[in-house]
Amino acid sequence: MPLLDVTVECPVFDSFRVQQVAGMFDVPLSQRATQRFRVELPADLRGADWRVGLIVGPSGSGKSTIARNMFGPSVYRPKEWAGDRAVIDGLGEHPIKDITGLFTAVGFSSPPSWVKPYHVLSNGEQFRCDLARALAQCGRGETAEDRREGDSPSFGVAAGDAERNSGQSPLVVFDEFTSVVDRNVARVVSAATAKAIRGGRIAGRFVAVTCHYDVTDWLQPDWVIDMATATFTRRCLPRPPIELEIFRSRRSAWSLFARHHYLSGALSTAARCFLALWGERPVAFCATVSLIGRKKRWRLSRLVTLPDYQGIGIGMAVAEAVADLHLQEGHRLNVTASHPALLAHCRRSPRWRAVQVRKTGSQMGTNFVKNYRSSAGRAVVSFEYLGHKES
């Protein structure tokens, strides 16, 4: 394998304190400080058929230096976000469907947060916004839904277009990946990003550069450069399983999730409530209510995954587990929604069947439930849950 050999240097400015440090710690001084980083890489790495890569190692091991030397202009350089604009306006002049799809792909799936400026968001939300902006350079992949509707992929910008014209897949290299977020968030973001890229929702390739080894199993990279040992390995191991505990809960559990829901309506007093835990942490909430005047007919009225855990399928896994419980009791269950992630899942899943499309929503329920927020004015789609089909 060819050897990548990079030497970096910087000037040493002489001063009284520099001389003091040199004397106290026996640091040899010269006009320039140099450091050399070496790693053997396969000759076909730049043009090989891979989707996700990882450059990892402790601080000062040369990760960023090697990334810049290997991939040059593909290394994402962050830009400042406007303080007086919502983050939904920060990804350029693209269709709203594409922008919300990209936010959802990186696990930033909370419409109430999309309309806020960047500086008021949490560290985890800010990181996902930066990641979404970086991945916008790749372009949105063509999905089965696009092919049905005749839409074409978008999100191409100058860097992505240049790589497409050269015959290579667009590439984004993201330095300091997950360095500023909680490690639970880091795992979820890693899994969400890898899922979006491997699933084709984001067209192109992605390289994460980080000092955190814990993202490796969740990112599932095709290859890893470990700068601690200056070694290259190929790998793509299965993601660790996510084991959820789902149980009936009190209505009071809704208070933890209410502000993250994209509707502001109150929770029905007749709702059946379910809470999902990952380990000992609450991560998702689901509520169902019976349809007025319809025997054994229920609907899913609330489904919320906390922001730190969005993007890896937890919400729909909880919804389908709750739906299965209703099927076992002889109930039929529907969901009516406008959230793009939920609609996309139901459209491609054999467990759901579209039953109605309302382009202007419905006023149903406003006369029966106090403070009920109807879907009037919003385009919504209703699906019925069919359950697991026998193979």
Side-chain angles (χ1 to χ4, degrees):
M1 293 193 295
L3 178 67
L4 180 60
D5 191 339
V6 182
T7 300
V8 293
E9 60 179 25
C10 67
V12 176
F13 298 100
D14 193 14
S15 71
F16 176 70
R17 288 189 177 88
V18 169
Q19 294 292 339
Q20 280 184 307
V21 169
M24 291 169 61
F25 299 101
D26 196 23
V27 177
L29 295 180
S30 60
Q31 289 187 336
R32 304 189 72 81
T34 63
Q35 193 164 4
R36 189 178 186 184
F37 304 106
R38 308 173 70 189
V39 60
E40 289 189 346
L41 303 173
D44 64 343
L45 181 59
R46 285 184 176 86
D49 184 19
W50 55 268
R51 301 302 299 273
V52 180
L54 174 65
I55 302 176
V56 66
S59 297
S61 61
K63 303 182 300 297
S64 300
T65 299
I66 291 297
R68 287 193 298 268
N69 191 273
M70 290 176 62
F71 302 113
S74 294
V75 177
Y76 174 67
R77 290 166 176 77
K79 296 181 294 184
E80 189 172 347
W81 291 77
D84 59 349
R85 301 289 297 277
V87 291
I88 200 72
D89 295 320
L91 267 65
E93 299 298 326
H94 301 290
I96 187 66
K97 176 182 176 182
D98 294 346
I99 295 176
T100 59
L102 187 55
F103 276 151
T104 300
V106 298
F108 184 45
S109 303
S110 298
S113 294
W114 293 346
V115 299
K116 297 177 183 177
Y118 179 85
H119 68 272
V120 305
L121 301 178
S122 67
N123 282 347
E125 290 172 326
Q126 289 181 348
F127 171 72
R128 293 179 198 240
C129 287
D130 291 330
L131 184 59
R133 182 184 267 183
L135 290 170
Q137 297 181 88
C138 282
R140 180 172 66 84
E142 184 180 30
T143 64
E145 182 182 347
D146 292 329
R147 290 189 287 273
R148 285 196 302 269
E149 298 179 0
D151 292 343
S152 58
S154 57
F155 271 133
V157 296
D161 290 342
E163 287 180 317
R164 287 189 188 90
N165 293 336
S166 68
Q168 292 183 334
S169 298
L171 170 66
V172 169
V173 181
F174 197 95
D175 203 354
E176 299 296 339
F177 182 72
T178 73
S179 292
V180 298
V181 296
D182 172 84
R183 302 323 301 163
N184 267 330
V185 177
R187 292 185 298 169
V188 173
V189 171
S190 298
T193 303
K195 178 182 176 183
I197 292 173
R198 296 189 189 283
R201 284 185 288 162
I202 297 174
R205 299 173 295 169
F206 178 72
V207 176
V209 183
T210 181
C211 61
H212 296 285
Y213 286 82
D214 60 349
V215 304
T216 306
D217 291 339
W218 297 85
L219 197 61
Q220 298 176 272
D222 298 299
W223 54 261
V224 178
I225 296 174
D226 187 346
M227 292 305 298
T229 56
T231 55
F232 173 92
T233 55
R234 295 188 188 274
R235 56 171 291 163
C236 185
L237 300 178
R239 188 188 76 186
I242 298 173
E243 297 181 354
L244 300 175
E245 181 183 359
I246 304 171
F247 55 90
R248 286 283 296 271
S249 69
R250 298 178 183 272
R251 294 180 67 255
S252 58
W254 172 241
S255 62
L256 179 63
F257 299 85
R259 70 187 182 92
H260 301 293
H261 196 257
Y262 67 97
L263 297 179
S264 56
L267 184 67
S268 169
T269 56
R272 286 189 183 182
C273 301
F274 300 84
L275 186 65
L277 302 182
W278 184 5
E280 297 181 354
R281 299 192 179 193
V283 295
F285 178 93
C286 181
T288 60
V289 294
S290 60
L291 289 177
I292 299 172
R294 307 287 295 276
K295 188 176 181 181
K296 293 189 175 182
R297 295 295 300 271
W298 288 69
R299 68 178 178 87
L300 195 154
S301 65
R302 292 291 182 266
L303 178 63
V304 181
T305 304
L306 292 180
D308 286 352
Y309 302 92
Q310 294 173 359
I312 54 176
I314 287 178
M316 291 310 300
V318 172
E320 290 175 355
V322 171
D324 282 331
L325 292 176
H326 278 282
L327 288 188
Q328 291 171 15
E329 295 181 25
H331 300 159
R332 294 171 64 183
L333 183 134
N334 284 42
V335 61
T336 299
S338 60
H339 195 290
L342 188 150
L343 299 185
H345 175 90
C346 292
R347 281 172 175 157
R348 64 175 178 262
S349 172
R351 300 178 186 176
W352 296 89
R353 175 174 64 93
V355 293
Q356 192 170 32
V357 177
R358 296 190 180 101
K359 293 186 177 180
T360 58
S362 170
Q363 290 280 3
M364 184 179 297
T366 55
N367 296 327
F368 301 97
V369 181
K370 185 179 180 181
N371 296 325
Y372 180 81
R373 177 76 175 272
S374 73
S375 61
R378 294 184 293 115
V380 295
V381 183
S382 296
F383 295 88
E384 181 177 355
Y385 185 69
L386 304 178
H388 300 260
K389 293 185 177 181
E390 296 293 335
S391 56

